[in-house]
Amino acid sequence: MACNSYTLTGLNTVCKEASFGGVKEVLIALYDDVESTAVANETNLLTPTMVSGKKFSQYKLLKSTSGLTSTLNTSETSSSYFTNEVTLQFMKMETKKRIEIMSLMMSACAVIVKDANDKYWYLGKDNYVECSAGTATTGTASSDSNHYELTLQDTSAELPYEVDPAAIATIMEPVV
């Protein structure tokens, strides 16, 4: 007897498609500033609705410094879930960034990740996103990176949903 109501339709993976790794930017809001999330039946795209006057803040990143990983966790005796982690590098240690990072470390957040393929992915649908690790490093040699690195993590019943790109302009406060 089947335990779910899913239907398998197959995927055509014969053709190679352009697919780039990495993260271009992240949008972060306080978890309580997101009023609701809706997933469209026809497209399966997620649209967040913000509390009046609230917006996601934009964090731009250098290429090849950040990434998003979703890991399936399962066992025969418990339910399955995904751990979604976004690792972010903010180049050059300085006071303004330190203060922002300290705020991120103490906050329950919702996060939208814009990947290198210009797709937006939502973390925080089932549970808030929190900082799970972080480092600050000056490097050793002159050619080493001087940066902060943060890992933001959530636990979810599903893989991250793709965000409707039409919603981004209405929910984001661009960085100046």
Side-chain angles (χ1 to χ4, degrees):
M1 168 142 38
C3 296
N4 62 52
S5 60
Y6 293 104
T7 302
L8 301 178
T9 59
L11 296 170
N12 181 0
T13 58
V14 175
C15 301
K16 289 186 178 180
E17 297 180 52
S19 178
F20 299 102
V23 170
K24 287 184 174 181
E25 68 184 30
V26 293
L27 309 175
I28 303 175
L30 294 175
Y31 188 77
D32 290 340
D33 288 349
V34 179
E35 187 173 313
S36 64
T37 56
V39 178
N41 288 333
E42 57 282 352
T43 63
N44 212 31
L45 296 176
L46 181 141
T47 300
T49 301
M50 303 302 290
V51 170
S52 180
K54 303 296 183 177
K55 300 263 185 180
F56 277 85
S57 296
Q58 181 184 42
Y59 297 79
K60 294 186 177 186
L61 304 161
L62 290 177
K63 69 178 179 176
S64 303
T65 62
S66 303
L68 169 62
T69 302
S70 296
T71 304
L72 173 63
N73 302 281
T74 188
S75 73
E76 292 183 27
T77 59
S78 66
S79 61
S80 300
Y81 63 94
F82 288 90
T83 302
N84 303 302
E85 292 185 332
V86 59
T87 304
L88 308 171
Q89 274 191 16
F90 300 103
M91 306 313 285
K92 193 176 180 186
M93 293 167 48
E94 56 192 1
T95 298
K96 181 179 179 181
K97 291 175 188 160
R98 185 188 72 76
I99 293 168
E100 188 72 13
I101 287 166
M102 294 301 293
S103 295
L104 286 170
M105 286 174 42
M106 303 304 289
S107 300
C109 300
V111 175
I112 298 174
V113 175
K114 181 179 182 182
D115 72 15
N117 300 295
D118 292 326
K119 301 271 187 192
Y120 293 92
W121 302 99
Y122 193 88
L123 283 73
K125 182 177 181 303
D126 297 328
N127 294 296
Y128 61 85
V129 179
E130 62 186 336
C131 186
S132 63
T135 58
T137 182
T138 62
T140 304
S142 297
S143 59
D144 290 344
S145 175
N146 175 302
H147 69 274
Y148 296 103
E149 184 168 304
L150 285 181
T151 301
L152 303 176
Q153 181 182 75
D154 82 341
T155 302
S156 180
E158 301 179 285
L159 289 164
Y161 276 89
E162 185 177 350
V163 178
D164 186 346
I168 297 299
T170 64
I171 63 170
M172 177 183 74
E173 186 70 43
V175 70
V176 189

